[in-house]
Amino acid sequence: MSSHAALGVVRSGVAVLKGSGIRINHIAPGQIDVGVDLKNFDMRGMTAQLPPASLQSKESQRANIGLERAGLPTEVARVAGFLASGFSSYITGANLVVDGGAS
């Protein structure tokens, strides 16, 4: 599912879950370095997006990402933890972009 489609599901889910006390949000991660070696990865069909972090040069990351590096899985997990906590009790239907300033 594309990120835009997932956001549509979240937005419609807010209306469906209204009054139930259930919150629904969307996390849109950017380029995340998951530590997988993709040196022999087939790049066909991936022209519309940035390549995986392991295939992108450090210079390219510095040019395209505001924080000049790929994110870490723990950084996305912290956002998910925040959304699951009581600190986000008034957040629903939101799209939290975790991309280091690339968008």
Side-chain angles (χ1 to χ4, degrees), residues 11 18 24 36 39 57 59 63 70 74 79 92 94 97:
R11 297 275 163 83
K18 187 176 182 180
I24 182 171
V36 176
K39 296 300 181 200
S57 68
E59 295 79 27
T74 54
V79 174
T92 192
V97 179

Side-chain angles (χ1 to χ4, degrees), residues 23-25 27 76-89 91 96:
R23 296 176 289 125
I24 182 171
N25 295 291
I27 299 172
V76 178
R78 288 179 186 140
V79 174
F82 166 73
L83 288 174
S85 75
F87 292 112
S88 66
S89 62
I91 298 174
L96 277 77

Side-chain angles (χ1 to χ4, degrees), residues 31 57-71 99-102:
Q31 191 174 56
S57 68
K58 296 296 179 190
E59 295 79 27
S60 181
Q61 287 181 1
R62 282 189 216 101
N64 294 316
I65 301 173
L67 293 178
E68 299 182 343
R69 64 175 178 82
D99 68 356

